[in-house]
Amino acid sequence: MPLVAHTNLPTFWRLQDEGEEILTPDRASRQSIRELHVGLLNIMPDAALEATERQFFRLVGACNQIAQFHVHPFTIEGLQRSPAALEHIHTYYESFEKIKLDGLDALIISGANVTHDHLQDEAFWQPLTEVFAWAKQNVTSILCSCLATHALIQSCYGVERTRLPAKRWGVFSHRVVDRQHPLVAEVNTRFDVPHSRYNEVFKADMEKHGLKILVASEEAGVHLAVSPDGFRVIFFQGHPEYDDISLLKEYKREVMRFYNGERDDYPPYPEHYFDVAVQNILSTYAEHVKAAKRAGEPIQQLPEAQILEHLDITWRDSAKAVFNNWLGKVYQITNEDRRLPFMDGIDPDNPLGL
Ligand SMILES: CC(C)(COP(=O)(O)OP(=O)(O)OC[C@H]1O[C@@H](n2cnc3c(N)ncnc32)[C@H](O)[C@@H]1OP(=O)(O)O)[C@@H](O)C(=O)NCCC(=O)NCCSC(=O)CCC(=O)O
Ligand SMILES: N[C@@H](CCO)C(=O)O
């Protein structure tokens, strides 16, 4: 939450020059104090549906202990769902119709699993573009994760993502490339983010369309970019919301796919994620799985509990810091009426006045 410059202490203006939010006493006394409403469009597959809820709810809730947040989960048609997942959605999720009626201050769109070569062939493409179209007009800022980033860039700028020769998979070091931007001001200048994707939108393609790159990795490409207006769409290609265990769960799924004959090669390790102790456990386990597969015998469970104590989470604090900046800025410019994106006087083409 912002500082109020209640005296003439020069430090206030020095901090403001460095990108810190500072309110004048007059602005502070007239600010409408209310809760913030954040939508979560959850399009992750069933197995990750509730884990994804926990991950984004946690980032929103943990990033700021003073403001009050209402997070509104909803989903769209066109995704394969089990009866149990449908029941969960039916019981706990809101409809997009209700979301539109009530309005949102901010919207998070999760990643997703795809089954076609081109995003526009997915059954969820049309419903997803309807959410984009509504949110671009009515929501102060939209934060897209991974596949949602690729889909929005394709639908807005006509740039199709590129299939990578090998999956970008692991925990990668990133640098803040624009230290002045309020979304990353006061955040560590180097931090980790997990990535898990077969596809990428490259920096040059983003820049060609006026997107601003804020955080990138030499190994893993762009993680964080913003729309040309500087704030209305936030693009993540990585997964800062992931739990320590998420990449292990994906690795375990790939081992099972190998064992079941759904992939030919034994899966590589996600990069920069397993320490030597875990690699030793997993190489022994790999020998066991390969031998069992050859012999047509059942396999033992991957020893997750033994591995868990070795897994570090090196990305969560920075993820919370970026979320705190994002939601803090949303709060400063959103309208008191949550159905309207901006307060009077905010320029929609440059909402942060950059
Ligand atoms: C890997 C799996 C299948 C693992 O799920 P399983 O149900 O098999 O796990 P399990 O070992 O049986 O364990 C179940 C317990 O683990 C929890 N759990 C499951 N997945 C988790 C995850 N990812 N992170 C943290 N916890 C997780 C469950 O809530 C449950 O907890 P409790 O028992 O405590 O309830 C899933 O996580 C998954 O589908 N992940 C992939 C998501 C995905 O497709 N992402 C695409 C994003 S990338 C993108 O957007 C596209 C990029 C591109 O196309 O290039
Ligand atoms: N943006 C509003 C807060 C949300 O109603 C204000 O700063 O007064």
Side-chain angles (χ1 to χ4, degrees), residues 36-301:
L36 210 61
H37 292 269
V38 183
L40 170 61
L41 173 55
N42 193 351
I43 51 177
M44 279 295 230
D46 288 1
L49 189 73
E50 290 185 58
T52 301
E53 287 169 22
R54 292 194 295 274
Q55 290 163 0
F56 283 113
F57 273 62
R58 180 191 294 123
L59 272 187
V60 171
C63 81
N64 187 304
Q65 297 292 308
I66 302 172
Q68 295 178 4
F69 298 107
H70 292 219
V71 184
H72 303 268
F74 67 108
T75 193
I76 46 178
E77 296 293 320
L79 296 149
Q80 282 235 319
R81 295 283 183 212
S82 67
L86 285 174
E87 176 64 21
H88 177 80
I89 287 165
H90 179 71
T91 308
Y92 299 111
Y93 281 31
E94 294 176 27
S95 67
F96 180 43
E97 291 311 310
K98 181 169 185 331
I99 296 272
K100 282 194 285 191
L101 273 179
D102 294 343
L104 291 174
D105 298 303
L107 171 63
I108 299 164
I109 308 181
S110 77
N113 241 343
V114 291
T115 46
H116 294 78
D117 288 341
H118 300 285
L119 292 177
Q120 68 273 22
D121 297 334
E122 298 291 333
F124 64 78
W125 173 259
Q126 181 60 27
L128 184 59
T129 55
E130 281 167 29
V131 176
F132 288 156
W134 171 78
K136 276 192 289 176
Q137 294 300 318
N138 296 283
V139 179
T140 311
S141 184
I142 311 167
L143 187 149
C144 297
S145 170
C146 199
L147 180 122
T149 283
H150 297 168
L152 211 151
I153 288 178
Q154 181 176 333
S155 102
C156 290
Y157 308 107
V159 176
E160 272 211 61
R161 63 202 192 142
T162 303
R163 178 88 183 179
L164 295 167
K167 185 172 182 177
R168 188 89 78 213
W169 199 31
V171 179
F172 299 93
S173 179
H174 294 67
R175 283 197 91 205
V176 173
V177 292
D178 179 353
R179 296 187 186 187
Q180 306 306 317
H181 193 282
L183 206 58
V184 287
E186 313 274 315
V187 169
N188 287 354
T189 55
R190 182 176 284 284
F191 58 85
D192 286 342
V193 183
H195 288 258
S196 178
R197 55 190 159 79
Y198 292 100
N199 299 277
E200 180 154 330
V201 176
F202 296 107
K203 182 169 179 274
D205 283 329
M206 292 186 183
E207 287 178 334
K208 199 159 60 190
H209 293 276
L211 274 63
K212 298 178 172 57
I213 313 297
L214 303 188
V215 178
S217 158
E218 276 180 18
E219 261 187 292
V222 173
H223 162 53
L224 203 179
V226 288
S227 48
D229 57 74
F231 194 63
R232 298 193 68 173
V233 190
I234 316 296
F235 299 103
F236 282 0
Q237 284 203 100
H239 287 282
E241 77 282 6
Y242 267 18
D243 292 304
D244 49 4
I245 204 171
S246 302
L247 290 175
L248 176 63
K249 291 281 183 197
E250 295 180 7
Y251 176 80
K252 185 177 85 169
R253 175 194 58 195
E254 294 308 306
V255 172
M256 289 309 295
R257 289 185 64 230
F258 168 80
Y259 176 71
N260 291 327
E262 294 164 28
R263 65 179 285 164
D264 296 331
D265 60 325
Y266 199 85
Y269 297 142
E271 291 179 72
H272 319 299
Y273 177 57
F274 294 139
D275 69 10
V276 174
V278 174
Q279 290 182 29
N280 286 337
I281 296 168
L282 289 174
S283 67
T284 307
Y285 184 68
E287 293 315 312
H288 159 69
V289 172
K290 287 176 195 165
K293 182 175 155 85
R294 275 194 303 272
E297 286 170 0
I299 51 169
Q300 291 162 15
Q301 292 268 338

Side-chain angles (χ1 to χ4, degrees), residues 23 27 30-36 105 329-338 342-343:
L23 302 188
R27 160 87 170 109
R30 286 184 293 106
Q31 183 160 35
S32 123
I33 302 296
R34 67 156 168 90
E35 76 289 351
L36 210 61
D105 298 303
K329 287 294 171 197
V330 166
Y331 193 74
Q332 293 306 320
I333 60 177
T334 193
N335 198 287
E336 189 169 5
D337 178 346
R338 76 192 229 214
F342 298 117
M343 293 193 301

